[in-house]
Amino acid sequence: MNKYLITRFVLVGFVFGLAFPAIAWAVDLYVMGLPLTLASITAIHQNNAIHYIFDTAPLILGVTFFIVGIFYSQAANKNYSSSSALLLNTILETMVDGFITVDDHGAVLSYNRGAEDIFGYTEKEIRGKNIRVFMTNTDLKEYDQYLVNSKQTGVSHIAGISGKEVQAKRKDGSLFPLTVTISEIFIGNERRFVGVLRDITDVKLAQAESVRVADELTQLVDTANAPIFGIDSKGLVDEWNQTAAKITGYNKAEVLGKDLVAEFITDEYKAPVKQVLDNALRGQETANYEFPLYTTGGQRVDVLLNATTRRDVDGNIIGVIGVGQDITEAKLAQAESVRVADELTQFVDTANAPIFGIDSKGLVNEWNQTAAKITGYNKAEVLGKDLVAEFITDEYKAPVKQVLDNALRGQETANYEFPLYTTGGQRVDVLLNATTRRDVDGNIIGVIGVGQDITEAKLAQAESVRVADELTQFVDTANAPIFGIDSKGLVNEWNQTAAKITGYNKAEVLGKDLVADFITDEYKAPVKQVLDNALRGQETANYEFPLYTTVGQRVDVLLNATTRRDVDGLITGVIGVGQDITELRQKERALNQSQKMETVGQLTGGIAHDFNNLLSIIGGNLRFLRQDLGEIDQEVEELIEDAMSATNDGADLTARLLAFSRNRILKPELKNVNDAIENFSRFLSRTLGKTIDLKTELPDDQLFINVDTSQLENALLNLAINARDAMPEGGNIVIKAAPYVVGGIAKRQTENNMELALQAGKYVVVSVEDSGVGISDEHLAHVYEPFFTTKDVGKGSGLGLSMVYGFIQQSNGQCIIRSKVGKGTTISMYFPEARNLEETSTKSDIKPMESAGSEVILVVEDEPRVRKITVRDIEKLGYKTIEAPDAITAQDIIKSGEKIDLVFTDVLMPGEMDGQMLGLWIENTHPRIKVVLTSGYTKRRESKETMSDIFPIVRKPYKIDALADQLNTTLYEN
């Protein structure tokens, strides 16, 4: 083979191919006005994907001329080697582009796989046919004209065509764009034409996409925030676009003719920025220079600058143009680009694709680097050796040889699992595609194997089997009843959990009718329907389904009924996987009861709120009536006193209603235990009924604790009602109080194994004792659990003792239960004892403070009658008042600047802002104004702080001395 001739052909093709990308680059750089730099070339590639196609022209034409050179060399030298022919055929067959040779008359002589993929004809179908079958009517006319010209002149007008774009026709008749490069060769005296064809359908789509992207890019550039400025040769501004004006705040008129560096760059950047601009004025352009501009307001704007030299028509430097970009997004994009590039590099570097080849005798003739890396055998060690004999274990020799022999007969194999062994004897599992290799004449000369290392996949598969085994064991031991029936409804599966739950072991149920023998009459029909549906392939999920134990106890099961099939897909039965939901259903019923009680509580709280407002009006007017009447006779005095007493009793009643609803504002206070028990026992005696004898046993000494009164009363109420329910035929309840002293850490066992653990100190024990049925040890272990109850459905929520326990824990105490079945129960609440602080001051019924008179109080209340009473009370205390019917009006009054020293506001008010929100707004915006809240009922907020932790609060209906004391304390607390 004439290597010199082939080399010349390759060089000519390569040099000729360089013209295509060079011309494309030059045109785009000229259109975009970019200099010839590496950055500019990169930019046009990113802007227009078609450049990547033009870039391949040197390679395509180089390969084409290389092939032509081979033909010429073969014509000159008939003794070329068979290995070169093989190489040529391999190249042609592996080319993505189509390669066709035709004679003078257009008959196809050769046709590679690339051409087959392009046109859809096989080589057998197209060989000998005229290339006119590929042409459209338009191209046929042009082709016929070429033939006429060639016959008339003797000169080919086809040879030398390079990259000509034409419309071609596939076998199925569809048209598509194609580029054609045609060369003319002579073999002896016979002229041949060699055509290299490329389907450019994707290129056309890319071009259309490129145009679309270019249009979008143009629109983006027109609307983008890209500051552009220019200076002349003296550094004076002569360009300043709208974005630069918008970013900096300086319009064009303000900056034209001024020195950019001197006027608009900070001192720290003057020198380097001037250097960049001076370099550009000498022709040394700068790209991506970080450069600050300052706005009219003195705000710095960082810009990434390209400083480009400006020249006149003669090439003389006349200034600099600067195009900027917001550096923040560019840096983020750069970081993301680096990340993606790193991931791609890592992916390529870690890919495992072993490739090997054998000849027709089974001897290795290809062994790539990945195969060498995986097995440990380098190429020199394996070439020429028998692959099967040397590198395959005995157990796999026969099947692997069969696969390779099949490929040597043209029967290719895909995804064959195939082991190789490393130099250290380690097995590597490979998934193999064995492809037949052929020479230029189509003769089989060997096999090429492209593999995938699936060693880790096999390990993962083994791990999957292990996990499946563990899952089987888990299912066998899980608390999930599993049963199965055959097509006749007879039990054929019954796992241990099903046996444990029902009491029937597997031997007792196998072969029996599940529905007939184990389902109650009321459920027989629906359960049978579910199972029959599954036997027809209609599976059911989450069906609630009862089973009965050997002792007749019902067990609620949530069932998934799944169809069972044999290997042929025929239905053979049903498998049922259940969940024991007996306890869940019990708790749902308890929860429903609790929610009902919560609804009743909310209703009660709402009624109490309205009643409190009415009591405030009644009590206030009675108080004013007494004051305004002056001297009155005894009978009228008694009438007013009775009315006031009834008002106070009403207030006590609403307090208890609010405690029941759990909507009262909670606050610990010093409480005399004896007084609290005596007062509440009167209320209890009416609640418990006539069959219960309620007594109290209180010590002579006064006992004090810090406790929330409503919570204490609620606890006593819960315990008393529980005691009453434990005595359906009636009995005795005793409420006791006593001191209790702990000298050290006390830990003693009660008779019910309830542990008492208190810190050293003095305590007060409040106990509720009954003569009821008592509590068993089994139930005693669960009494504090939410929703646990031994009462019938609808007669208890199971939350009473839970709330008592939580209340005592929050009060730094402990609750102990002592009970004996048949003897009764005593529940003791231990509270830390508190000191009784004597009151050091007395208050008169109505006594204005000496300083009162100049202070102004804004009263915010939505109920007009309550507001009227409140204003009159406060004015009688000596303060000036302003009224507001809601929080928004109060805000407007405060914003007006009118003098206000304190805001006295109701909590619950209509509108978007309530009293607490108004108080918080005042605290944030007008901290000098004090805030006092008033309410008889508030909807509880989810907050770590209660309202009383933030603002002082006066409860409705209030007494005038309590109001006077709170106002005075708040106004003069600092």
Side-chain angles (χ1 to χ4, degrees):
M1 180 177 292
N2 192 333
K3 294 183 179 179
Y4 175 72
L5 180 60
I6 293 174
T7 302
R8 290 181 62 187
F9 267 85
V10 172
L11 288 175
V12 170
F14 183 77
V15 172
F16 184 58
L18 285 174
F20 287 87
I23 293 171
W25 295 356
V27 171
D28 220 350
L29 289 172
Y30 175 76
V31 171
M32 295 180 69
L34 298 175
L36 181 58
T37 64
L38 180 59
S40 299
I41 292 172
T42 302
I44 65 174
H45 277 73
Q46 293 174 347
N47 183 57
N48 196 338
I50 199 169
H51 282 292
Y52 292 104
I53 298 171
F54 281 111
D55 290 348
T56 63
L59 177 61
I60 294 171
L61 290 179
V63 172
T64 302
F65 277 71
F66 172 72
I67 296 167
V68 172
I70 290 175
F71 275 105
Y72 267 90
S73 178
Q74 288 176 342
N77 183 7
K78 296 294 185 178
N79 296 320
Y80 55 87
S81 65
S82 61
S83 60
S84 296
L86 175 61
L87 177 61
L88 175 60
N89 187 67
T90 302
I91 292 172
L92 292 177
E93 289 303 310
T94 56
M95 281 178 61
V96 176
D97 294 332
F99 185 85
I100 301 178
T101 59
V102 299
D103 62 16
D104 253 348
H105 304 288
V108 177
L109 302 176
S110 65
Y111 181 81
N112 75 338
R113 289 186 183 180
E116 290 182 357
D117 294 336
I118 290 173
F119 292 108
Y121 293 99
T122 65
E123 183 181 18
K124 184 177 180 181
E125 290 175 319
I126 205 63
R127 185 186 290 272
K129 289 188 178 181
N130 197 284
I131 60 171
R132 297 169 67 91
V133 298
F134 303 136
M135 297 182 185
T136 63
N137 292 334
T138 302
D139 290 329
L140 278 172
K141 293 178 182 179
E142 187 175 355
Y143 174 68
D144 290 339
Q145 187 60 46
Y146 278 134
L147 293 178
V148 170
N149 293 340
S150 178
K151 290 178 179 179
Q152 291 175 352
T153 62
V155 177
S156 170
H157 294 272
I158 299 176
I161 291 176
S162 178
K164 179 177 176 60
E165 186 176 327
V166 298
Q167 281 287 104
K169 184 165 60 175
R170 294 191 179 92
K171 180 181 179 180
D172 60 9
S174 60
L175 303 182
F176 64 99
L178 187 76
T179 58
V180 181
T181 299
I182 301 176
S183 301
E184 185 180 40
I185 62 173
F186 286 88
I187 301 177
N189 295 324
E190 295 181 359
R191 181 167 62 178
R192 298 287 186 266
F193 294 98
V194 178
V196 178
L197 314 174
R198 172 167 290 188
D199 183 349
I200 59 169
T201 303
D202 292 339
V203 174
K204 284 294 186 180
L205 293 175
Q207 286 176 336
E209 178 65 10
S210 177
V211 170
R212 186 191 64 77
V213 171
D215 291 341
E216 287 186 356
L217 184 60
T218 299
Q219 182 181 5
L220 176 65
V221 170
D222 290 341
T223 59
N225 293 325
I228 301 174
F229 64 87
I231 61 169
D232 60 18
S233 58
K234 297 179 180 179
L236 304 180
V237 178
D238 57 6
E239 290 289 345
W240 195 260
N241 78 338
Q242 292 180 9
T243 305
K246 180 179 178 181
I247 289 176
T248 64
Y250 295 100
N251 61 45
K252 191 170 184 177
E254 290 177 297
V255 298
L256 285 182
K258 294 186 178 180
D259 189 304
L260 178 67
V261 175
E263 300 284 346
F264 304 102
I265 307 300
T266 56
D267 293 338
E268 61 177 324
Y269 273 90
K270 276 184 166 58
V273 171
K274 190 173 188 306
Q275 183 65 45
V276 168
L277 298 178
D278 287 347
N279 287 344
L281 286 170
R282 290 192 292 271
Q284 301 171 15
E285 298 178 344
T286 299
N288 298 328
Y289 177 72
E290 192 173 336
F291 164 72
L293 291 173
Y294 275 76
T295 69
T296 51
Q299 182 181 358
R300 171 174 167 158
V301 179
D302 288 308
V303 175
L304 198 64
L305 177 68
N306 287 348
T308 306
T309 303
R310 300 177 69 184
R311 299 176 185 270
D312 61 17
V313 68
D314 298 321
N316 299 318
I317 295 174
I318 59 170
V320 177
I321 191 73
V323 180
Q325 179 187 357
D326 184 348
I327 195 172
T328 306
E329 292 187 6
K331 284 188 175 180
L332 291 174
Q334 183 180 9
E336 178 64 10
S337 177
V338 170
R339 185 190 66 79
V340 172
D342 290 343
E343 285 185 356
L344 184 59
T345 300
Q346 183 181 9
F347 173 76
V348 172
D349 290 343
T350 57
N352 292 324
I355 301 173
F356 64 86
I358 60 168
D359 60 19
S360 58
K361 298 179 180 179
L363 304 180
V364 178
N365 56 12
E366 291 290 345
W367 195 260
N368 78 339
Q369 293 181 8
T370 305
K373 179 180 178 182
I374 289 176
T375 63
Y377 295 100
N378 61 44
K379 192 169 185 177
E381 291 178 297
V382 298
L383 286 181
K385 294 187 178 179
D386 190 303
L387 178 67
V388 174
E390 300 283 346
F391 303 102
I392 307 300
T393 57
D394 293 340
E395 61 177 323
Y396 273 90
K397 276 184 167 56
V400 170
K401 191 174 187 307
Q402 183 65 44
V403 167
L404 298 178
D405 288 347
N406 287 344
L408 286 171
R409 288 191 295 270
Q411 301 170 16
E412 299 179 343
T413 299
N415 298 328
Y416 177 72
E417 193 172 328
F418 163 72
L420 290 173
Y421 275 79
T422 68
T423 52
Q426 182 180 357
R427 171 175 168 156
V428 178
D429 291 301
V430 175
L431 199 63
L432 176 68
N433 286 346
T435 306
T436 303
R437 299 178 71 182
R438 298 174 185 270
D439 62 15
V440 69
D441 299 319
N443 298 316
I444 296 174
I445 58 170
V447 177
I448 191 74
V450 179
Q452 177 187 355
D453 184 356
I454 60 168
T455 307
E456 292 187 5
K458 294 286 287 183
L459 293 175
Q461 184 179 7
E463 176 66 10
S464 177
V465 171
R466 185 191 64 78
V467 170
D469 292 340
E470 286 186 355
L471 183 60
T472 301
Q473 182 181 6
F474 171 75
V475 170
D476 290 341
T477 58
N479 291 325
I482 300 174
F483 64 87
I485 61 169
D486 60 18
S487 58
K488 297 179 181 179
L490 304 180
V491 178
N492 56 11
E493 292 288 346
W494 194 262
N495 79 336
Q496 295 179 6
T497 305
K500 180 180 177 181
I501 289 176
T502 64
Y504 294 100
N505 62 43
K506 192 170 184 176
E508 291 177 295
V509 297
L510 285 182
K512 293 187 178 180
D513 190 302
L514 177 67
V515 175
D517 292 334
F518 303 100
I519 307 301
T520 57
D521 293 339
E522 61 177 323
Y523 274 90
K524 275 183 166 59
V527 171
K528 190 174 189 305
Q529 183 64 44
V530 167
L531 298 178
D532 287 347
N533 286 343
L535 286 171
R536 290 191 294 268
Q538 302 170 15
E539 299 179 343
T540 300
N542 298 329
Y543 177 74
E544 193 166 333
F545 162 74
L547 290 173
Y548 276 78
T549 69
T550 52
V551 296
Q553 183 180 357
R554 169 175 169 155
V555 178
D556 290 306
V557 175
L558 200 63
L559 175 69
N560 287 346
T562 306
T563 304
R564 300 180 72 181
R565 300 175 184 270
D566 61 17
V567 68
D568 297 320
L570 301 174
I571 295 174
T572 60
V574 178
I575 192 74
V577 180
Q579 177 187 355
D580 185 352
I581 59 169
T582 307
E583 184 178 356
L584 176 63
R585 288 289 174 262
Q586 293 170 350
K587 289 186 177 180
E588 282 180 352
R589 289 189 285 270
L591 178 60
N592 290 336
Q593 177 67 13
S594 172
Q595 290 172 338
K596 182 176 73 175
M597 296 303 293
E598 178 69 17
T599 303
V600 173
Q602 291 176 355
L603 176 62
T604 303
I607 294 171
H609 167 257
D610 294 340
F611 197 42
N612 266 334
N613 276 341
L614 295 175
L615 290 174
S616 296
I617 296 168
I618 295 169
N621 282 301
L622 286 172
R623 192 167 59 250
F624 296 149
L625 183 63
R626 174 195 282 169
Q627 295 166 6
D628 293 346
L629 288 176
E631 293 293 332
I632 54 178
D633 60 35
Q634 183 63 29
E635 185 177 356
V636 174
E637 178 70 24
E638 288 178 357
L639 291 173
I640 294 175
E641 286 295 334
D642 288 345
M644 290 294 291
S645 175
T647 302
N648 292 334
D649 289 345
D652 290 340
L653 176 60
T654 58
R656 287 181 172 83
L657 289 173
L658 289 171
F660 170 73
S661 69
R662 291 182 293 155
N663 279 310
R664 186 178 181 182
I665 304 167
L666 303 179
K667 187 175 181 181
E669 58 184 349
L670 187 67
K671 196 70 179 176
N672 186 316
V673 175
N674 292 356
D675 291 345
I677 292 175
E678 286 180 348
N679 292 335
F680 194 65
S681 63
R682 290 195 295 271
F683 170 77
L684 271 180
S685 61
R686 296 192 297 270
T687 302
L688 296 177
K690 296 180 180 180
T691 61
I692 302 299
D693 183 14
L694 176 66
K695 296 180 180 179
T696 59
E697 293 182 9
L698 306 175
D700 294 333
D701 296 333
Q702 299 296 308
L703 301 175
F704 293 88
I705 58 176
N706 273 317
V707 69
D708 187 295
T709 304
S710 65
Q711 282 283 41
L712 176 61
E713 292 175 349
N714 196 32
L716 289 172
L717 178 63
N718 273 308
L719 296 179
I721 290 175
N722 283 346
R724 179 200 64 188
D725 292 345
M727 300 180 293
E729 303 299 326
N732 300 319
I733 296 177
V734 182
I735 301 178
K736 301 178 180 179
Y740 187 83
V741 178
V742 177
I745 297 294
K747 289 190 177 181
R748 66 182 178 83
Q749 299 294 324
T750 70
E751 51 265 46
N752 291 110
N753 293 323
M754 301 293 285
E755 184 183 79
L756 177 63
L758 296 170
Q759 298 292 330
K762 295 181 178 180
Y763 293 84
V764 174
V765 184
V766 178
S767 303
V768 177
E769 180 181 303
D770 66 62
S771 57
V773 296
I775 306 172
S776 67
D777 289 344
E778 178 185 359
H779 290 160
L780 198 61
H782 301 285
V783 290
Y784 291 135
E785 295 177 2
F787 302 115
F788 178 81
T789 180
T790 58
K791 300 177 184 178
D792 294 336
V793 175
K795 294 186 178 181
S797 66
L799 294 172
L801 280 176
S802 297
M803 291 188 289
V804 172
Y805 177 81
F807 154 63
I808 297 172
Q809 290 291 314
Q810 291 175 337
S811 302
N812 298 317
Q814 189 173 354
C815 184
I816 292 295
I817 301 178
R818 302 176 180 88
S819 182
K820 288 186 178 180
V821 176
K823 298 293 184 181
T825 301
T826 300
I827 301 179
S828 300
M829 299 178 288
Y830 293 78
F831 298 95
E833 186 178 5
R835 290 192 305 154
N836 178 26
L837 301 177
E838 295 291 333
E839 294 188 4
T840 57
S841 62
T842 60
K843 305 174 207 164
S844 62
D845 188 29
I846 302 177
K847 183 179 180 182
M849 302 301 164
E850 292 182 1
S851 59
S854 61
E855 293 82 359
V856 178
I857 297 178
L858 174 60
V859 178
V860 187
E861 169 64 61
D862 62 298
E863 166 56 57
R865 293 172 296 178
V866 176
R867 186 169 70 249
K868 181 178 179 182
I869 295 294
T870 304
V871 167
R872 186 169 179 179
D873 277 338
I874 293 175
E875 288 178 346
K876 280 188 173 292
L877 291 174
Y879 299 104
K880 297 177 181 178
T881 61
I882 302 173
E883 299 181 39
D886 53 55
I888 301 300
T889 304
Q891 273 189 319
D892 294 338
I893 294 172
I894 293 170
K895 290 177 182 178
S896 71
E898 189 164 349
K899 179 181 181 299
I900 297 171
D901 297 290
L902 183 143
V903 174
F904 185 66
T905 176
D906 189 17
V907 176
L908 274 184
M909 290 186 291
E912 296 180 356
M913 178 177 284
D914 61 18
Q916 184 181 4
M917 295 166 66
L918 174 63
L920 293 172
W921 176 80
I922 293 171
E923 186 178 55
N924 291 330
T925 59
H926 298 78
R928 69 168 190 80
I929 299 177
K930 308 294 184 180
V931 177
V932 175
L933 304 180
T934 180
S935 182
Y937 165 80
T938 60
K939 294 179 181 178
R940 291 172 292 156
R941 296 175 177 272
E942 297 296 333
S943 173
K944 293 181 179 178
E945 297 179 303
T946 63
M947 286 186 298
S948 58
D949 293 329
I950 305 173
F951 305 111
I953 186 163
V954 177
R955 307 182 193 283
K956 291 181 182 179
Y958 50 77
K959 295 181 179 179
I960 191 66
D961 57 344
L963 174 64
D965 181 56
Q966 186 62 71
L967 294 178
N968 182 68
T969 300
T970 304
L971 281 168
Y972 305 109
E973 62 186 348
N974 292 328

